Amino acid sequence: MHMDRLERNYLIAVSVMLGIFFAALVAGALVFGVRLPSTAEFVNPLALNETEFASPGLRDMGEGQYEAYFLAAMWRFQLGTGEFDETGHEVMRVPVGSRVTFNITSRDISHGMIIEGMNVNLQLLPGHVARQAVTFNRTGEFHVQCHEYCGRDHANMFFTIIVEEPAEAAA
Ligand code: CUA
């Protein structure tokens, strides 16, 4: 079969590129463990009372490790920390250097969560547990906002993370 030289070269180039992309995909998944950041686990949104989400809160696992079980619902985050700021939104406090694994699900509809200034952007869906570990390396106040339009009070759906010196945290 006659094939134009240029056409053949292009076909070879395209095949090689596709091969490289496919190899990168396989290597990313198998060697580097790249996974989509969310929906690590499923949970029955109608039976949250039978799960870890029955009592939302920040669990101190020792050695600077924390597990956060938070809920998103119209139109607030339920952190279970029992501390509120002057606007009535909940506050989460951790000592600087803490590594917090967030486990979050939604009680009702689709919500989102971004932590300002951090590389955290989760979609919160009923039935799915969004999970991400974050190390808080500097002190300060971090604004956390729902970024998935969820209705009337969407803009008001936020909370604050306060990262402080260990001495302050203990006080
Ligand atoms: Cu929840 Cu927007």
Side-chain angles (χ1 to χ4, degrees), residues 117-141:
M118 309 282 295
N119 188 19
V120 177
N121 181 334
L122 298 171
Q123 192 176 26
L124 311 175
L125 303 168
H128 294 251
V129 179
R131 177 172 297 142
Q132 187 174 351
V134 182
T135 303
F136 291 96
N137 281 327
R138 58 191 164 91
T139 57
E141 294 195 2

PDB file of all heavy atoms in Angstrom, residues 117-141:
ATOM      1  N   GLY A 117      -6.039  30.008  50.710  1.00  0.00           N
ATOM      2  CA  GLY A 117      -4.588  29.994  50.851  1.00  0.00           C
ATOM      3  C   GLY A 117      -3.989  28.607  50.954  1.00  0.00           C
ATOM      4  O   GLY A 117      -2.779  28.463  51.103  1.00  0.00           O
ATOM      5  N   MET A 118      -4.820  27.568  50.902  1.00  0.00           N
ATOM      6  CA  MET A 118      -4.315  26.200  50.963  1.00  0.00           C
ATOM      7  C   MET A 118      -4.772  25.484  49.695  1.00  0.00           C
ATOM      8  O   MET A 118      -5.731  25.884  49.055  1.00  0.00           O
ATOM      9  CB  MET A 118      -4.877  25.445  52.177  1.00  0.00           C
ATOM     10  CG  MET A 118      -4.729  26.151  53.493  1.00  0.00           C
ATOM     11  SD  MET A 118      -3.081  26.040  54.200  1.00  0.00           S
ATOM     12  CE  MET A 118      -2.939  24.294  54.539  1.00  0.00           C
ATOM     13  N   ASN A 119      -4.098  24.409  49.391  1.00  0.00           N
ATOM     14  CA  ASN A 119      -4.447  23.658  48.194  1.00  0.00           C
ATOM     15  C   ASN A 119      -5.531  22.630  48.530  1.00  0.00           C
ATOM     16  O   ASN A 119      -5.308  21.427  48.457  1.00  0.00           O
ATOM     17  CB  ASN A 119      -3.194  22.985  47.622  1.00  0.00           C
ATOM     18  CG  ASN A 119      -3.459  22.364  46.281  1.00  0.00           C
ATOM     19  OD1 ASN A 119      -4.425  22.707  45.612  1.00  0.00           O
ATOM     20  ND2 ASN A 119      -2.616  21.423  45.897  1.00  0.00           N
ATOM     21  N   VAL A 120      -6.693  23.143  48.947  1.00  0.00           N
ATOM     22  CA  VAL A 120      -7.795  22.264  49.328  1.00  0.00           C
ATOM     23  C   VAL A 120      -9.050  22.720  48.604  1.00  0.00           C
ATOM     24  O   VAL A 120      -9.452  23.876  48.711  1.00  0.00           O
ATOM     25  CB  VAL A 120      -8.046  22.301  50.849  1.00  0.00           C
ATOM     26  CG1 VAL A 120      -9.244  21.438  51.207  1.00  0.00           C
ATOM     27  CG2 VAL A 120      -6.816  21.855  51.605  1.00  0.00           C
ATOM     28  N   ASN A 121      -9.647  21.812  47.850  1.00  0.00           N
ATOM     29  CA  ASN A 121     -10.840  22.122  47.088  1.00  0.00           C
ATOM     30  C   ASN A 121     -11.630  20.832  46.963  1.00  0.00           C
ATOM     31  O   ASN A 121     -11.296  19.963  46.171  1.00  0.00           O
ATOM     32  CB  ASN A 121     -10.433  22.668  45.716  1.00  0.00           C
ATOM     33  CG  ASN A 121     -11.628  23.035  44.876  1.00  0.00           C
ATOM     34  OD1 ASN A 121     -12.726  22.497  45.047  1.00  0.00           O
ATOM     35  ND2 ASN A 121     -11.424  23.937  43.945  1.00  0.00           N
ATOM     36  N   LEU A 122     -12.649  20.687  47.806  1.00  0.00           N
ATOM     37  CA  LEU A 122     -13.398  19.435  47.846  1.00  0.00           C
ATOM     38  C   LEU A 122     -14.834  19.658  47.403  1.00  0.00           C
ATOM     39  O   LEU A 122     -15.414  20.707  47.672  1.00  0.00           O
ATOM     40  CB  LEU A 122     -13.397  18.866  49.268  1.00  0.00           C
ATOM     41  CG  LEU A 122     -12.040  18.496  49.857  1.00  0.00           C
ATOM     42  CD1 LEU A 122     -12.182  18.152  51.333  1.00  0.00           C
ATOM     43  CD2 LEU A 122     -11.427  17.338  49.102  1.00  0.00           C
ATOM     44  N   GLN A 123     -15.376  18.663  46.757  1.00  0.00           N
ATOM     45  CA  GLN A 123     -16.800  18.673  46.475  1.00  0.00           C
ATOM     46  C   GLN A 123     -17.459  17.748  47.479  1.00  0.00           C
ATOM     47  O   GLN A 123     -17.005  16.622  47.699  1.00  0.00           O
ATOM     48  CB  GLN A 123     -17.069  18.197  45.049  1.00  0.00           C
ATOM     49  CG  GLN A 123     -18.499  18.475  44.631  1.00  0.00           C
ATOM     50  CD  GLN A 123     -18.770  18.098  43.193  1.00  0.00           C
ATOM     51  OE1 GLN A 123     -18.105  17.226  42.648  1.00  0.00           O
ATOM     52  NE2 GLN A 123     -19.752  18.732  42.593  1.00  0.00           N
ATOM     53  N   LEU A 124     -18.527  18.234  48.118  1.00  0.00           N
ATOM     54  CA  LEU A 124     -19.178  17.484  49.182  1.00  0.00           C
ATOM     55  C   LEU A 124     -20.551  17.029  48.692  1.00  0.00           C
ATOM     56  O   LEU A 124     -21.445  17.844  48.480  1.00  0.00           O
ATOM     57  CB  LEU A 124     -19.312  18.359  50.429  1.00  0.00           C
ATOM     58  CG  LEU A 124     -18.020  19.086  50.844  1.00  0.00           C
ATOM     59  CD1 LEU A 124     -18.292  20.007  52.013  1.00  0.00           C
ATOM     60  CD2 LEU A 124     -16.919  18.088  51.173  1.00  0.00           C
ATOM     61  N   LEU A 125     -20.679  15.722  48.516  1.00  0.00           N
ATOM     62  CA  LEU A 125     -21.917  15.168  47.973  1.00  0.00           C
ATOM     63  C   LEU A 125     -22.541  14.240  48.996  1.00  0.00           C
ATOM     64  O   LEU A 125     -21.824  13.506  49.681  1.00  0.00           O
ATOM     65  CB  LEU A 125     -21.609  14.367  46.700  1.00  0.00           C
ATOM     66  CG  LEU A 125     -20.911  15.109  45.578  1.00  0.00           C
ATOM     67  CD1 LEU A 125     -20.416  14.130  44.521  1.00  0.00           C
ATOM     68  CD2 LEU A 125     -21.840  16.130  44.966  1.00  0.00           C
ATOM     69  N   PRO A 126     -23.882  14.236  49.083  1.00  0.00           N
ATOM     70  CA  PRO A 126     -24.513  13.257  49.977  1.00  0.00           C
ATOM     71  C   PRO A 126     -24.181  11.849  49.490  1.00  0.00           C
ATOM     72  O   PRO A 126     -24.230  11.579  48.296  1.00  0.00           O
ATOM     73  CB  PRO A 126     -26.006  13.575  49.851  1.00  0.00           C
ATOM     74  CG  PRO A 126     -26.137  14.382  48.605  1.00  0.00           C
ATOM     75  CD  PRO A 126     -24.845  15.086  48.395  1.00  0.00           C
ATOM     76  N   GLY A 127     -23.801  10.989  50.420  1.00  0.00           N
ATOM     77  CA  GLY A 127     -23.473   9.615  50.042  1.00  0.00           C
ATOM     78  C   GLY A 127     -21.996   9.377  49.822  1.00  0.00           C
ATOM     79  O   GLY A 127     -21.557   8.238  49.759  1.00  0.00           O
ATOM     80  N   HIS A 128     -21.218  10.461  49.710  1.00  0.00           N
ATOM     81  CA  HIS A 128     -19.780  10.327  49.508  1.00  0.00           C
ATOM     82  C   HIS A 128     -19.034  10.969  50.669  1.00  0.00           C
ATOM     83  O   HIS A 128     -19.470  11.991  51.184  1.00  0.00           O
ATOM     84  CB  HIS A 128     -19.340  11.024  48.224  1.00  0.00           C
ATOM     85  CG  HIS A 128     -19.874  10.393  46.983  1.00  0.00           C
ATOM     86  ND1 HIS A 128     -19.091   9.696  46.096  1.00  0.00           N
ATOM     87  CD2 HIS A 128     -21.122  10.360  46.479  1.00  0.00           C
ATOM     88  CE1 HIS A 128     -19.842   9.254  45.104  1.00  0.00           C
ATOM     89  NE2 HIS A 128     -21.073   9.644  45.306  1.00  0.00           N
ATOM     90  N   VAL A 129     -17.901  10.387  51.031  1.00  0.00           N
ATOM     91  CA  VAL A 129     -17.033  11.017  52.018  1.00  0.00           C
ATOM     92  C   VAL A 129     -15.854  11.618  51.272  1.00  0.00           C
ATOM     93  O   VAL A 129     -15.083  10.899  50.633  1.00  0.00           O
ATOM     94  CB  VAL A 129     -16.524  10.010  53.066  1.00  0.00           C
ATOM     95  CG1 VAL A 129     -15.607  10.702  54.055  1.00  0.00           C
ATOM     96  CG2 VAL A 129     -17.700   9.363  53.798  1.00  0.00           C
ATOM     97  N   ALA A 130     -15.734  12.938  51.335  1.00  0.00           N
ATOM     98  CA  ALA A 130     -14.572  13.606  50.758  1.00  0.00           C
ATOM     99  C   ALA A 130     -13.467  13.591  51.806  1.00  0.00           C
ATOM    100  O   ALA A 130     -13.708  13.910  52.964  1.00  0.00           O
ATOM    101  CB  ALA A 130     -14.922  15.036  50.374  1.00  0.00           C
ATOM    102  N   ARG A 131     -12.281  13.198  51.391  1.00  0.00           N
ATOM    103  CA  ARG A 131     -11.203  13.040  52.382  1.00  0.00           C
ATOM    104  C   ARG A 131      -9.935  13.693  51.841  1.00  0.00           C
ATOM    105  O   ARG A 131      -9.547  13.478  50.691  1.00  0.00           O
ATOM    106  CB  ARG A 131     -10.968  11.556  52.634  1.00  0.00           C
ATOM    107  CG  ARG A 131      -9.818  11.277  53.589  1.00  0.00           C
ATOM    108  CD  ARG A 131      -9.754   9.813  53.956  1.00  0.00           C
ATOM    109  NE  ARG A 131     -10.963   9.412  54.662  1.00  0.00           N
ATOM    110  CZ  ARG A 131     -11.574   8.237  54.507  1.00  0.00           C
ATOM    111  NH1 ARG A 131     -11.101   7.357  53.688  1.00  0.00           N
ATOM    112  NH2 ARG A 131     -12.667   7.956  55.184  1.00  0.00           N
ATOM    113  N   GLN A 132      -9.292  14.493  52.691  1.00  0.00           N
ATOM    114  CA  GLN A 132      -7.990  15.060  52.330  1.00  0.00           C
ATOM    115  C   GLN A 132      -7.225  15.406  53.593  1.00  0.00           C
ATOM    116  O   GLN A 132      -7.788  15.948  54.544  1.00  0.00           O
ATOM    117  CB  GLN A 132      -8.136  16.304  51.448  1.00  0.00           C
ATOM    118  CG  GLN A 132      -6.780  16.779  50.927  1.00  0.00           C
ATOM    119  CD  GLN A 132      -6.887  17.912  49.935  1.00  0.00           C
ATOM    120  OE1 GLN A 132      -7.962  18.272  49.474  1.00  0.00           O
ATOM    121  NE2 GLN A 132      -5.747  18.511  49.622  1.00  0.00           N
ATOM    122  N   ALA A 133      -5.949  15.092  53.595  1.00  0.00           N
ATOM    123  CA  ALA A 133      -5.083  15.439  54.723  1.00  0.00           C
ATOM    124  C   ALA A 133      -4.369  16.749  54.416  1.00  0.00           C
ATOM    125  O   ALA A 133      -3.917  16.965  53.300  1.00  0.00           O
ATOM    126  CB  ALA A 133      -4.071  14.328  54.966  1.00  0.00           C
ATOM    127  N   VAL A 134      -4.309  17.610  55.416  1.00  0.00           N
ATOM    128  CA  VAL A 134      -3.702  18.928  55.257  1.00  0.00           C
ATOM    129  C   VAL A 134      -2.775  19.190  56.434  1.00  0.00           C
ATOM    130  O   VAL A 134      -3.149  18.954  57.585  1.00  0.00           O
ATOM    131  CB  VAL A 134      -4.784  20.037  55.239  1.00  0.00           C
ATOM    132  CG1 VAL A 134      -4.158  21.392  55.024  1.00  0.00           C
ATOM    133  CG2 VAL A 134      -5.833  19.752  54.185  1.00  0.00           C
ATOM    134  N   THR A 135      -1.564  19.670  56.143  1.00  0.00           N
ATOM    135  CA  THR A 135      -0.657  20.067  57.215  1.00  0.00           C
ATOM    136  C   THR A 135      -0.680  21.578  57.329  1.00  0.00           C
ATOM    137  O   THR A 135      -0.470  22.287  56.343  1.00  0.00           O
ATOM    138  CB  THR A 135       0.763  19.566  56.934  1.00  0.00           C
ATOM    139  OG1 THR A 135       0.720  18.154  56.776  1.00  0.00           O
ATOM    140  CG2 THR A 135       1.701  19.909  58.085  1.00  0.00           C
ATOM    141  N   PHE A 136      -0.957  22.076  58.540  1.00  0.00           N
ATOM    142  CA  PHE A 136      -1.016  23.517  58.765  1.00  0.00           C
ATOM    143  C   PHE A 136       0.337  23.984  59.300  1.00  0.00           C
ATOM    144  O   PHE A 136       0.621  23.853  60.481  1.00  0.00           O
ATOM    145  CB  PHE A 136      -2.155  23.858  59.730  1.00  0.00           C
ATOM    146  CG  PHE A 136      -3.510  23.622  59.129  1.00  0.00           C
ATOM    147  CD1 PHE A 136      -4.193  22.438  59.369  1.00  0.00           C
ATOM    148  CD2 PHE A 136      -4.097  24.570  58.316  1.00  0.00           C
ATOM    149  CE1 PHE A 136      -5.444  22.208  58.808  1.00  0.00           C
ATOM    150  CE2 PHE A 136      -5.351  24.356  57.745  1.00  0.00           C
ATOM    151  CZ  PHE A 136      -6.016  23.169  57.999  1.00  0.00           C
ATOM    152  N   ASN A 137       1.151  24.527  58.399  1.00  0.00           N
ATOM    153  CA  ASN A 137       2.536  24.851  58.741  1.00  0.00           C
ATOM    154  C   ASN A 137       2.750  26.270  59.236  1.00  0.00           C
ATOM    155  O   ASN A 137       3.859  26.614  59.635  1.00  0.00           O
ATOM    156  CB  ASN A 137       3.435  24.617  57.521  1.00  0.00           C
ATOM    157  CG  ASN A 137       3.747  23.138  57.356  1.00  0.00           C
ATOM    158  OD1 ASN A 137       3.857  22.419  58.353  1.00  0.00           O
ATOM    159  ND2 ASN A 137       3.865  22.684  56.132  1.00  0.00           N
ATOM    160  N   ARG A 138       1.716  27.124  59.151  1.00  0.00           N
ATOM    161  CA  ARG A 138       1.895  28.494  59.626  1.00  0.00           C
ATOM    162  C   ARG A 138       0.667  28.921  60.408  1.00  0.00           C
ATOM    163  O   ARG A 138      -0.443  28.460  60.144  1.00  0.00           O
ATOM    164  CB  ARG A 138       2.168  29.438  58.448  1.00  0.00           C
ATOM    165  CG  ARG A 138       1.102  29.448  57.397  1.00  0.00           C
ATOM    166  CD  ARG A 138       1.571  30.186  56.149  1.00  0.00           C
ATOM    167  NE  ARG A 138       0.736  29.900  55.010  1.00  0.00           N
ATOM    168  CZ  ARG A 138      -0.334  30.616  54.675  1.00  0.00           C
ATOM    169  NH1 ARG A 138      -0.675  31.668  55.377  1.00  0.00           N
ATOM    170  NH2 ARG A 138      -1.070  30.286  53.637  1.00  0.00           N
ATOM    171  N   THR A 139       0.900  29.793  61.366  1.00  0.00           N
ATOM    172  CA  THR A 139      -0.203  30.273  62.185  1.00  0.00           C
ATOM    173  C   THR A 139      -1.047  31.251  61.373  1.00  0.00           C
ATOM    174  O   THR A 139      -0.608  31.811  60.361  1.00  0.00           O
ATOM    175  CB  THR A 139       0.313  30.985  63.447  1.00  0.00           C
ATOM    176  OG1 THR A 139       1.157  32.050  63.039  1.00  0.00           O
ATOM    177  CG2 THR A 139       1.082  30.041  64.351  1.00  0.00           C
ATOM    178  N   GLY A 140      -2.260  31.442  61.833  1.00  0.00           N
ATOM    179  CA  GLY A 140      -3.131  32.391  61.157  1.00  0.00           C
ATOM    180  C   GLY A 140      -4.567  31.916  61.147  1.00  0.00           C
ATOM    181  O   GLY A 140      -4.892  30.851  61.679  1.00  0.00           O
ATOM    182  N   GLU A 141      -5.412  32.742  60.543  1.00  0.00           N
ATOM    183  CA  GLU A 141      -6.823  32.394  60.410  1.00  0.00           C
ATOM    184  C   GLU A 141      -7.102  32.060  58.952  1.00  0.00           C
ATOM    185  O   GLU A 141      -6.771  32.826  58.053  1.00  0.00           O
ATOM    186  CB  GLU A 141      -7.710  33.561  60.861  1.00  0.00           C
ATOM    187  CG  GLU A 141      -7.567  33.843  62.338  1.00  0.00           C
ATOM    188  CD  GLU A 141      -8.686  34.726  62.864  1.00  0.00           C
ATOM    189  OE1 GLU A 141      -9.591  35.089  62.083  1.00  0.00           O
ATOM    190  OE2 GLU A 141      -8.640  35.047  64.050  1.00  0.00           O
TER     191      GLU A 141
END
